[in-house]
Amino acid sequence: MFFPEYRPRRLRRNEQLRSLVRETEISVKHLIYPLFIVEGKGIKEEVPSMPGVYRFSCDQLKDEIKEVLDLGIPAVILFGIPAQKDEIGSQAYAKRGVVQQAIATIKKEAPELVVVTDVCLCEYTSHGHCGIIKNGEVDNDLTLEQLARTAVSHAKAGAEMVAPSDMMDGRVARIREALDEAGFSHIPIMSYAVKYCSSFYGPFRDAAESAPQFGDRRSYQMDPANVREALREASLDVEEGADILMVKPALPYLDVISRLRAEFNHPIAAYQVSGEYAMIKAAGRLGWLDEERAMLESLLSIRRAGADIIITYFAKEVAKKLS
Ligand code: PBG
């Protein structure tokens, strides 16, 4: 089939034809919206490096939840910023902790909204690392116990899914075991299976006050240079009982999403992280990019790479655009 027999432009002539042959779609039903919850009352403050994203105290959540629900967004993922931090992150599993209270509030307002919780210690530890420090290092196995307690306390508070983001070895198995023992065998684990040590988390660390106070996260998060290691990480999580595999960040790691899609039959989630959001917002504000088109194109590319689910700060804007 040589030119001019096959002319690809024939199918691009008008929107009806283009739409007929379109391979990938973004739909609001694939999106999860992240929410930052702070302790206190009467707080709704914009995150400076994330225009349009706010930190809410529980009493201010009502309108936001209603909007999310009205827009048809099926799920939220919660990040808590506690008033008190300590060496072991004990507020992460406090019965009246910030996330535990937020879950109750949301479930009351919107029982049909799926509430996912991020399970990690970095927002709760005084040193900002994702685990317990022993002899100057993050101790893997001590941390597992804290993560398991945290996941169970979220489930007890009413969370419908837990998402461990710490990158400790063996945490999916330990959390699965703890959930099952506590009567939560029906609660799925969305594992941040492949989480890179990325510069794109910058704005999040401002929002969650979770920047490490010494060193960095390279001894537990993945080296951005590696993709075969990503497959090993994902295999381990599958063996340990993960229900959904996540890749994070998304746009700089589309190849990783695509490899996971090819190798695994589990649902794949991708996290379009704070820095990806901030980049598009900033260029849009400067008039250097068409913000809306860049937003839609970035999400479409993540879907095209093979993600079923996308966690994105753009969720509300996309939903408005699509409706
Ligand atoms: C907690 C966590 C982080 C993000 C999600 N969960 C930060 C980090 O690992 O430093 C980043 C999300 C984002 O940048 O939007 N461990």
Side-chain angles (χ1 to χ4, degrees):
M1 249 207 270
F2 297 106
F3 181 82
E5 266 89 280
Y6 187 69
R7 289 177 179 267
R9 287 184 57 193
R10 280 181 199 131
L11 294 176
R12 297 180 198 146
R13 275 187 55 239
N14 58 46
E15 181 49 27
Q16 286 87 331
L17 286 171
R18 288 192 293 273
S19 152
L20 202 60
V21 297
R22 190 159 290 142
E23 299 172 25
T24 313
E25 260 175 335
I26 320 167
S27 153
V28 63
K29 63 177 186 279
H30 304 129
L31 305 180
I32 301 181
Y33 187 56
L35 283 175
F36 296 107
I37 322 289
V38 285
E39 238 160 286
K41 277 206 165 66
I43 303 166
K44 180 185 176 186
E45 53 192 13
E46 195 172 31
V47 180
S49 49
M50 301 174 76
V53 174
Y54 294 81
R55 312 198 311 175
F56 295 94
S57 54
C58 271
D59 61 329
Q60 299 294 305
L61 270 175
K62 211 171 163 174
D63 292 348
E64 183 79 349
I65 293 306
K66 187 173 179 321
E67 192 185 3
V68 167
L69 207 61
D70 289 347
L71 286 167
I73 298 168
V76 291
I77 181 165
L78 305 185
F79 296 93
I81 302 124
Q84 306 286 345
K85 306 191 185 218
D86 60 25
E87 286 283 301
I88 59 167
S90 58
Q91 281 301 307
Y93 47 85
K95 204 164 173 216
R96 304 271 303 150
V98 60
V99 163
Q100 289 77 1
Q101 289 189 49
I103 299 167
T105 307
I106 296 170
K107 284 278 103 182
K108 209 169 103 207
E109 283 307 315
E112 63 272 54
L113 193 63
V114 174
V115 176
V116 186
T117 56
D118 182 85
V119 174
C120 194
L121 298 180
C122 61
E123 297 109 286
Y124 302 91
T125 52
S126 42
H127 44 74
H129 277 289
C130 302
I132 306 257
I133 305 287
K134 207 173 159 192
N135 304 325
E137 283 187 41
V138 175
D139 188 286
N140 195 88
D141 297 8
L142 284 177
T143 303
L144 295 186
E145 297 313 308
Q146 297 294 78
L147 295 168
R149 292 169 83 170
T150 304
V152 169
S153 90
H154 290 173
K156 279 189 181 149
E160 263 141 333
M161 194 186 310
V162 294
S165 70
D166 51 284
M167 288 302 275
M168 295 303 122
D169 296 335
R171 92 272 208 208
V172 172
R174 183 65 193 96
I175 289 172
R176 186 70 274 159
E177 179 186 53
L179 286 173
D180 291 357
E181 272 172 14
F184 297 108
S185 58
H186 57 292
I187 298 292
I189 300 176
M190 173 163 69
S191 169
Y192 287 69
V194 183
K195 178 174 176 183
Y196 286 93
C197 189
S198 171
S199 58
F200 289 93
Y201 308 147
F204 175 94
R205 290 179 189 173
D206 291 338
E209 295 164 13
S210 63
Q213 299 302 303
F214 66 91
D216 53 42
R217 303 207 204 287
R218 274 183 282 190
S219 76
Y220 41 104
Q221 297 181 345
M222 269 187 59
D223 185 336
N226 296 351
V227 64
R228 294 192 297 271
E229 185 186 1
L231 300 177
R232 297 201 293 278
E233 278 283 3
S235 301
L236 284 170
D237 284 6
V238 166
E239 282 165 29
E240 291 178 30
D243 299 279
I244 299 174
L245 301 171
M246 194 204 299
V247 175
K248 174 184 171 194
L251 209 52
Y253 299 93
L254 292 179
D255 59 320
V256 181
I257 298 173
S258 158
R259 285 293 295 277
L260 254 70
R261 174 72 296 152
E263 308 273 344
F264 297 92
N265 291 318
H266 282 54
I268 307 278
Y271 198 140
Q272 182 180 51
V273 301
S274 56
E276 298 177 66
Y277 176 82
M279 235 171 12
I280 293 175
K281 281 280 168 193
R285 290 197 157 192
L286 284 166
W288 291 355
L289 274 184
D290 178 330
E291 185 182 317
E292 188 181 286
R293 287 186 55 202
M295 162 184 88
L296 292 171
E297 190 177 330
S298 66
L299 294 166
L300 193 65
S301 73
I302 296 165
R303 292 271 301 154
R304 195 190 60 238
D308 301 295
I309 300 165
I310 308 177
I311 302 166
T312 176
Y313 301 97
F314 283 121
K316 287 198 305 178
E317 278 174 70
V318 185
K320 282 177 200 157
K321 175 71 194 151
L322 295 178
S323 70

